[in-house]
Amino acid sequence: MSSAQGTTGHLVSVAVPVYNVEHYLAQCLDSIRSSLGKQLQVVIVNDGSTDGSLAIAEAFAQRAESDPHLPDVSIVTKPNGGYGAAVNRGFDESDGMYVGIVEPDDYLAGDLFGELYAIAEATDMPDIVKSTYKRVWMPDTPEQRIWGSLLRHRGVRTWRRGCTNLGESPLLVRWHPSVWSAIYRRDFLTSTGTRFIEAPGAGWVDNPFVMRAMCQADRIAFTDDAWYCYREDRPGSSSVTKAPTLSLTRWLQMAEEVAQSRWATDEGVLTSLASIGFRYASHLWNTPEARDPEVTKLLECVLGAIPLDIALSLDDVSPAAKQRYLDATHQNGDIGKAMTYRMAMIRELLYSWRENGMFFACERAGLHRHPAKTQHIS
């Protein structure tokens, strides 16, 4: 880092939490190329891998050592502790002014960290620089497609018009947390105590991290551009149904972050949070998991934490879902007209069509049927 910035560390440090991802890791690491050169630090955290991941990481580190165009690479090996612990360790072992994340089964299409750091410089070093991302749908199958994220072109103030914050732009937290399509100023994370929950496995720990960071940030620079390619789960493998208590528990933790922030009564922020809560609940309603007493209790807690006026104002929640909310919370209210909900769905259909084409719009609306099995591409 230049002396003008008052430190001798890297400009950006990137944590790559690695656990048994030998099929994807080489592509991931090779894609982390940046105009920052050695001013980009990559800390690969080998979280107890038992496959060939460590050897791939070591080969990349050796290659980067002699190539001035590749980042400065280090490897940390530790017993398996889960995604949150691995990212925290990566941040602890790094020294960049900003920190970011690349998940080892994803990859970059372009100079993500060089571009985000350039935006940071142009906007007087905000707390967070946030971008959209590319969705790799049905990865490694004949049906694979790449689409834009649901946050793109939603009207969030972009960095050329100045920085924003969560109160002005609550849509920043309404869809996928996409914790990795951003960089976070290190001293901001430290001063606000923003770290990942350390839980076994992936643990949905990105949700409360993003909510805390966004709630605490005074200045967020946002861009609709996308360089990060995120491999999504295949249809039918929703992590919500795999771990029903986890999604609801993490939502309650997100709600607590909002409640303890300056946005505790902000209508826009509460609306985004409620939308997520209804989404998680709808994934569980009418499933066998919903009959589990622990899941039932958590569903009651989530729905009970959503204010009545906010719940009934959501035009993208069906009247039937609102009635279930009223029944679960023992309240009365106007669930609205079915036409209002249909119009909201039509607007979302047109948005999806405009952004990603007819196939994506139909896919999102559930109008496609998928084969029971898909052939893996070698």
Side-chain angles (χ1 to χ4, degrees):
M1 184 179 295
S2 69
S3 59
Q5 290 156 328
T7 182
T8 58
H10 298 83
L11 298 178
V12 179
S13 295
V14 180
V16 183
V18 172
Y19 179 70
N20 291 351
V21 283
E22 62 181 3
H23 182 71
Y24 298 109
L25 186 56
Q27 180 194 21
C28 170
L29 296 176
D30 287 341
S31 73
I32 308 177
R33 297 172 178 268
S34 174
S35 58
L36 299 177
K38 296 298 182 187
Q39 292 181 306
L40 175 67
Q41 178 188 33
V42 173
V43 180
I44 302 169
V45 181
N46 176 39
D47 194 33
S49 295
T50 58
D51 65 355
S53 295
L54 179 57
I56 294 169
E58 289 174 337
F60 177 72
Q62 185 176 9
R63 189 164 69 255
E65 189 174 359
S66 59
D67 188 338
H69 302 293
L70 291 180
D72 188 9
V73 178
S74 61
I75 299 174
V76 176
T77 295
K78 60 181 286 296
N80 181 258
Y83 179 92
V87 175
N88 284 341
R89 179 66 179 275
F91 286 175
D92 291 343
E93 297 287 338
S94 63
D95 61 14
M97 175 181 285
Y98 283 87
V99 294
I101 303 162
V102 174
E103 295 188 353
D105 53 351
D106 298 333
Y107 60 95
L108 307 184
D111 184 11
L112 171 68
F113 296 109
E115 296 284 358
L116 294 186
Y117 185 77
I119 293 173
E121 285 192 311
T123 52
D124 195 25
M125 302 303 181
D127 300 318
I128 301 171
V129 184
K130 174 73 172 173
S131 65
T132 57
Y133 63 95
K134 299 179 181 181
R135 307 169 64 187
V136 184
W137 180 83
M138 293 293 286
D140 309 307
T141 73
E143 295 183 278
Q144 176 174 303
R145 284 176 169 80
I146 297 179
W147 291 319
S149 74
L150 295 179
L151 180 57
R152 188 176 64 172
H153 300 151
R154 289 284 190 173
V156 175
R157 179 201 294 268
T158 57
W159 66 275
R160 293 185 186 278
R161 297 188 292 121
C163 288
T164 188
N165 59 39
L166 188 58
E168 181 187 63
S169 304
L171 295 182
L172 286 169
V173 295
R174 189 155 184 165
W175 289 282
H176 194 287
S178 57
V179 64
W180 18 255
S181 65
I183 55 175
Y184 310 84
R185 209 179 65 244
R186 173 187 296 282
D187 62 0
F188 157 71
L189 295 182
T190 301
S191 65
T192 57
T194 303
R195 288 174 67 84
F196 283 87
I197 295 169
E198 299 193 0
W204 285 57
V205 295
D206 49 349
N207 293 52
F209 176 91
V210 164
M211 188 62 78
R212 181 174 182 83
M214 290 292 179
C215 283
Q216 295 297 321
D218 291 324
R219 299 173 63 247
I220 303 166
F222 173 76
T223 176
D224 276 317
D225 293 325
W227 301 275
Y228 193 102
C229 298
Y230 167 65
R231 283 186 170 94
E232 294 194 344
D233 289 339
R234 297 181 184 183
S237 62
S238 170
S239 55
V240 174
T241 55
K242 287 180 182 177
T245 60
L246 200 54
S247 63
L248 301 176
T249 298
R250 295 294 181 250
W251 186 91
L252 290 169
Q253 290 167 335
M254 288 191 289
E256 185 63 21
E257 292 294 348
V258 172
Q260 294 180 0
S261 76
R262 81 194 90 167
W263 312 115
T265 60
D266 184 272
E267 181 179 352
V269 175
L270 292 176
T271 297
S272 284
L273 182 66
S275 179
I276 299 169
F278 270 100
R279 190 161 69 242
Y280 289 175
S282 69
H283 285 146
L284 288 167
W285 283 332
N286 304 322
T287 67
E289 290 85 355
R291 293 194 291 269
D292 182 281
E294 185 178 3
V295 175
T296 299
K297 182 178 180 180
L298 284 170
L299 275 169
E300 291 174 354
C301 289
V302 168
L303 295 176
I306 299 174
L308 176 64
D309 58 332
I310 297 295
L312 297 181
S313 71
L314 292 169
D315 60 3
D316 60 348
V317 173
S318 70
K322 290 178 181 177
Q323 188 60 57
R324 293 192 72 152
Y325 161 83
L326 291 175
D327 294 342
T329 58
H330 309 291
Q331 299 181 93
N332 297 309
D334 181 4
I335 60 175
K337 298 179 179 180
M339 181 57 66
T340 302
Y341 172 68
R342 293 193 190 104
M343 291 303 297
M345 293 299 96
I346 289 172
R347 288 194 297 271
E348 281 299 302
L349 183 70
L350 293 175
Y351 165 82
S352 297
W353 195 325
R354 183 192 74 211
E355 289 295 309
N356 290 304
M358 181 178 65
F359 187 97
F360 174 78
C362 293
E363 172 63 30
R364 192 173 173 217
L367 301 178
H368 285 154
R369 299 180 65 182
H370 301 284
K373 294 183 180 180
T374 53
Q375 183 177 358
H376 187 84
I377 297 177
S378 58

